Amino acid sequence: MSLSFASLPLSLAPGLTPGGVAYAKTMPGVTAPFGLFDPLGLTPETKEELLLFREAELAHGRVAMMGALGFLVQSHFAPMYDMDSAPVIRHLDKVLQTENGQLGSSCLLLAIFFSEIQRARTGWVEPEVAMRTLREGYLPGDLGFDPMGLKPKGEELLAMQNKELNNGRLAMLAIAGMTAQELVTGQQNF
């Protein structure tokens, strides 16, 4: 007996565009060898919900790529604090034990807070108007930050989006694996 979430009946709310799976097959990130990889049938029924999923995938993929890079760099280079070859997952514990570490972490937390507020204002409709709704015409992940005009057009843009999505997916798995390994072994990976 197999369970498929796609077979569960879901009614569409008024104003939502049906065709989530059909639209998903046309989006960036559908690449060989898997194509549209959805073994559990979790692709939403509506285009709007699918775009919310893509926005979350891009945000988490970007954070994971930075996290994986930071994990590798920090395992060999931490010039501000003496880490005593502790596992990378324990570095934050050591940093927060100092006043400078607490101040730096507070500044970093504020920077993240304000950048997330800006991201929400760029792509999301105000909560008073509609909950969980992206702005009309907003392309998930496109925050409009291209000060040097380097964003490619056409097929080059599609290739770049595919690379970003695939690298983000790999990074999400990689950072989870690196973190789990250090938690289990208690030793630095690299």
Side-chain angles (χ1 to χ4, degrees):
M1 177 179 147
S2 68
L3 175 65
S4 174
F5 293 104
S7 64
L8 297 176
L10 297 173
S11 61
L12 295 178
L16 295 180
T17 310
V21 175
Y23 184 72
K25 291 178 181 177
T26 66
M27 294 178 73
V30 179
T31 57
F34 299 113
L36 177 63
F37 185 73
D38 185 21
L40 296 178
L42 298 175
T43 302
E45 289 185 14
T46 66
K47 176 183 171 185
E48 291 80 7
E49 188 76 14
L50 182 65
L51 292 175
L52 290 175
F53 277 35
R54 177 52 54 91
E55 176 75 11
E57 180 182 21
L58 283 166
H60 288 91
R62 289 170 179 169
V63 169
M65 286 188 278
M66 291 300 295
L69 178 64
F71 200 100
L72 295 172
V73 170
Q74 195 172 346
S75 65
H76 296 289
F77 184 70
M80 293 174 56
Y81 301 96
D82 182 26
M83 293 300 158
D84 300 324
S85 68
V88 175
I89 59 170
R90 298 293 175 224
H91 286 195
L92 183 61
D93 301 339
K94 290 181 172 275
V95 168
L96 290 178
Q97 291 174 356
T98 67
E99 279 187 34
N100 286 340
Q102 292 171 3
L103 177 64
S105 297
S106 298
C107 292
L108 181 61
L109 190 61
L110 280 173
I112 292 169
F113 173 77
F114 287 118
S115 66
E116 283 297 304
I117 293 292
Q118 181 60 32
R119 185 175 74 90
R121 293 182 70 210
T122 301
W124 296 77
V125 173
E126 289 75 15
E128 305 86 43
V129 177
M131 294 296 290
R132 295 192 65 222
T133 304
L134 294 175
R135 292 187 187 277
E136 190 68 34
Y138 172 72
L139 183 65
D142 186 5
L143 303 177
F145 183 77
D146 188 20
M148 296 175 59
L150 299 175
K151 181 178 177 181
K153 308 263 188 285
E155 288 297 317
E156 291 177 0
L157 176 61
L158 177 63
M160 185 181 77
Q161 289 172 325
N162 286 331
K163 289 175 187 175
E164 179 183 16
L165 284 163
N166 289 332
N167 289 332
R169 292 167 182 165
L170 177 63
M172 286 186 268
L173 294 172
I175 194 67
M178 291 187 290
T179 303
Q181 183 179 354
E182 282 200 359
L183 279 171
V184 170
T185 64
Q187 297 176 358
Q188 198 168 356
N189 288 342
F190 303 100

